[in-house]
Amino acid sequence: MTKIKLSQKQESIVNLNQGAYLVLASAGSGKTRVLTERIKRLSDSEDGKILAITFTNKAASEIRERLGGSESINKNVFVGTFHSFCQSILELRFKLLGYNKMPHIFEDDSDRLELIKQAIKSVPFFKEIYDDLEPKKKNSYTYNVLQFISTVKRDIISAEELAESSENLEYQYLFETYQGILKSNNAIDFDDIIRLVYELFTNNEALANLYRKAYSFVCIDECQDLNKLQYFLLKVLCGDTIKNIMMVGDPNQSIYGFNGSTPTYMQKDFVKDFQAQEISLDENYRSSKSVIDASNVLMNLEVEAINYVIDGVFEIIPFDSEINEAEFVLNKIIELTNLKFHNDIEGEISYDKISVLARNKFVFKNIEEFLKKEEIPYYYKSGNIGIKFNSKSMKIFDLFYTRRTKLGMILSCLT
């Protein structure tokens, strides 16, 4: 396995002792790398299991891939989203919530909107008004009800608080009807997954203590996207027992505001509630200083090249023909793979660490031919998915370069 290179600052975070830490990591600073390397180190210790939470299944899969499948990782680490973690609990503890079997989960908004329509049509007064609406207004109305229901659940608004409120009485009634439909069908929705586990931990101290003893460390990636329900779940899970928490995030990259998330939970609440130490990670590995400097000149930008760890190399080389250009690319690939190692590249240089970018797919014609001739493996991915040719002549041109078919055969097919 390739040894992971860490900067001095990254390594200091990986090797932090027990405690609560907020790592404010800017874009390209290697925050996920730091988190995964810390999880690896902690998993090798005898100090307890690790709960690693992120916000998407894709991010969770990436962390699992980076961690590898060692025995200690498989035994001591849970990696997943808030929803997958909570679902794993519900699958074991659903009877504590009054269900005879694990409830069906309505995850997709389209399914939940259909349930809302069912709730509307179950009440004659609402049905009569709803049926008279134009299609666009119907869609808008059901979507607004869905947003109301999600907000009630994500903001942990109790039934008592909802009953005392004089606002949105119509939505409140539909909320209760919607929940009744779910219950009668032994079902829950996507927001219920976390809400129900929060209620379980809040109302069942023995169960909460069971999970507090199970996990000694909690790591949360992209913590700028925490919403109220997720943060309160974290608090009730940790209680006064779990003190070792590391959150990693960047307040400038918060993207789930529509979902009730805000960086406030990491920057203010977490620091205050857990007495967390703030650490800044501002090194930039996303690009090299040379590329940034060149981009500023070529594209008339003003990106300040600070905290860039890699100097990099940037050259502009003119060629007389596309064939000469393709030969240069081929020779550069051979040169790099023969070199084996380079200070700017982690681990041994292999074909899968080399990318060739071009302004359009036709530039690759000669490069592909050279790669095939030298039996160098490659993977081609086009970014021009949106380009469509309408004229017969351009379709011929496109097919010629992409399918390598004889021009005469294409002409016979189109005529």
Side-chain angles (χ1 to χ4, degrees):
M1 183 178 290
T2 301
K3 180 176 173 54
I4 301 298
K5 294 196 302 184
L6 298 170
S7 70
Q8 186 175 353
K9 181 173 281 190
Q10 289 176 329
E11 194 162 2
S12 68
I13 296 172
V14 168
N15 294 320
L16 283 169
N17 295 321
Q18 297 187 5
Y21 302 97
L22 171 61
V23 180
L24 295 171
S26 57
S29 61
K31 56 181 179 290
T32 303
R33 166 175 295 205
V34 166
L35 197 67
T36 52
E37 290 305 302
R38 179 167 173 79
I39 292 170
K40 284 181 186 177
R41 184 180 75 80
L42 293 174
S43 69
D44 290 332
S45 69
E46 301 296 326
D47 294 331
K49 293 186 177 181
I50 304 149
L51 175 62
I53 298 292
T54 189
F55 285 83
T56 65
N57 292 322
K58 182 179 179 182
S61 297
E62 181 184 346
I63 291 176
R64 286 192 210 100
E65 185 178 341
R66 292 192 189 193
L67 288 173
S70 68
E71 184 179 348
S72 63
I73 292 293
N74 293 333
K75 179 183 176 182
N76 296 325
V77 182
F78 177 95
V79 181
T81 62
F82 274 102
H83 285 91
S84 64
F85 171 63
C86 290
Q87 185 171 336
S88 70
I89 296 172
L90 288 178
E91 288 171 352
L92 294 173
R93 314 292 175 185
F94 59 85
K95 288 186 178 180
L96 295 175
L97 293 162
Y99 295 97
N100 294 322
K101 60 180 181 179
M102 177 62 190
H104 175 75
I105 301 172
F106 287 99
E107 295 187 32
D108 294 337
D109 280 357
S110 58
D111 293 333
R112 297 169 69 188
L113 287 168
E114 287 302 317
L115 289 177
I116 290 170
K117 291 177 185 177
Q118 187 177 333
I120 293 170
K121 293 177 180 179
S122 69
V123 183
F125 174 74
F126 288 143
K127 180 180 183 301
E128 185 177 344
I129 297 174
Y130 182 78
D131 286 343
D132 289 337
L133 295 176
E134 297 174 359
K136 285 186 177 180
K137 289 186 177 180
K138 283 184 179 179
N139 291 336
S140 177
Y141 183 79
T142 51
Y143 181 76
N144 288 339
V145 175
L146 176 61
Q147 288 299 101
F148 176 81
I149 292 171
S150 291
T151 300
V152 168
K153 294 180 179 182
R154 290 195 303 259
D155 288 353
I156 322 177
I157 299 172
S158 67
E160 292 78 13
E161 291 172 321
L162 204 58
E164 290 174 1
S165 173
S166 60
E167 297 181 4
N168 297 312
L169 295 177
E170 188 177 323
Y171 288 177
Q172 289 182 39
Y173 190 87
L174 289 173
F175 169 80
E176 293 169 2
T177 308
Y178 171 88
Q179 288 298 102
I181 293 172
L182 287 174
K183 189 73 174 179
S184 64
N185 287 278
N186 193 64
I188 59 177
D189 70 12
F190 193 63
D191 294 316
D192 285 326
I193 297 173
I194 300 178
R195 182 182 65 87
L196 289 174
V197 173
Y198 169 73
E199 290 180 3
L200 270 178
F201 286 166
T202 301
N203 300 324
N204 194 321
E205 190 72 11
L207 180 64
N209 282 330
L210 184 66
Y211 284 89
R212 289 166 190 159
K213 291 177 181 177
Y215 295 103
S216 299
F217 297 89
V218 176
C219 300
I220 300 183
D221 194 19
E222 306 292 0
C223 62
Q224 71 274 358
D225 292 321
L226 284 166
N227 62 31
K228 183 176 180 178
L229 178 58
Q230 291 162 343
Y231 181 70
F232 274 58
L233 172 70
L234 174 68
K235 283 182 64 177
V236 74
L237 167 64
C238 294
D240 295 326
T241 304
I242 303 177
K243 304 288 187 182
N244 304 310
I245 307 164
M246 176 175 282
M247 286 194 183
V248 181
D250 178 3
N252 296 319
Q253 294 188 64
S254 182
I255 60 173
Y256 292 110
F258 64 90
N259 200 29
S261 70
T262 170
T264 300
Y265 292 114
M266 76 169 188
Q267 289 181 293
K268 293 185 178 179
D269 297 77
F270 175 61
V271 172
K272 177 184 176 183
D273 295 336
F274 292 88
Q275 300 297 300
Q277 177 184 343
E278 290 188 48
I279 302 169
S280 176
L281 183 63
D282 56 4
E283 299 165 323
N284 197 313
Y285 290 85
R286 184 153 292 176
S287 188
S288 69
K289 185 177 183 300
S290 296
V291 169
I292 296 300
D293 289 340
S295 299
N296 284 335
V297 174
L298 295 173
M299 302 176 67
N300 195 27
L301 301 175
E302 294 182 356
V303 178
E304 191 174 2
I306 59 173
N307 297 325
Y308 284 87
V309 179
I310 301 170
D311 286 333
V313 177
F314 184 91
E315 298 176 282
I316 297 178
I317 304 172
F319 295 97
D320 295 331
S321 67
E322 291 182 353
I323 292 178
N324 291 341
E325 181 183 56
E327 283 179 331
F328 172 83
V329 171
L330 175 70
N331 291 331
K332 179 59 71 173
I333 291 172
I334 294 172
E335 176 190 331
L336 288 170
T337 52
N338 288 338
L339 185 63
K340 297 293 185 184
F341 296 96
H342 189 282
N343 288 336
D344 290 349
I345 301 172
E346 190 170 79
E348 186 173 341
I349 301 173
S350 54
Y351 292 129
D352 61 354
K353 291 184 178 179
I354 299 173
S355 296
V356 180
L357 309 180
R359 66 186 179 275
N360 60 54
K361 61 185 177 181
F362 307 120
V363 176
F364 287 114
K365 176 180 179 293
N366 293 303
I367 296 175
E368 283 187 280
E369 290 177 356
F370 279 123
L371 292 174
K372 287 178 180 178
K373 184 178 179 181
E374 294 296 324
E375 297 184 343
I376 294 176
Y378 68 92
Y379 168 73
Y380 174 75
K381 182 177 181 180
S382 173
N384 294 332
I385 298 173
I387 295 179
K388 303 290 183 183
F389 297 115
N390 294 318
S391 69
K392 191 174 290 187
S393 60
M394 285 307 297
K395 287 179 181 178
I396 294 171
F397 181 67
D398 182 42
L399 288 168
F400 175 75
Y401 279 94
T402 56
R403 301 181 186 177
R404 301 293 184 266
T405 313
K406 289 183 180 179
L407 186 58
M409 291 180 63
I410 299 173
L411 286 169
S412 66
C413 289
L414 293 177
T415 55

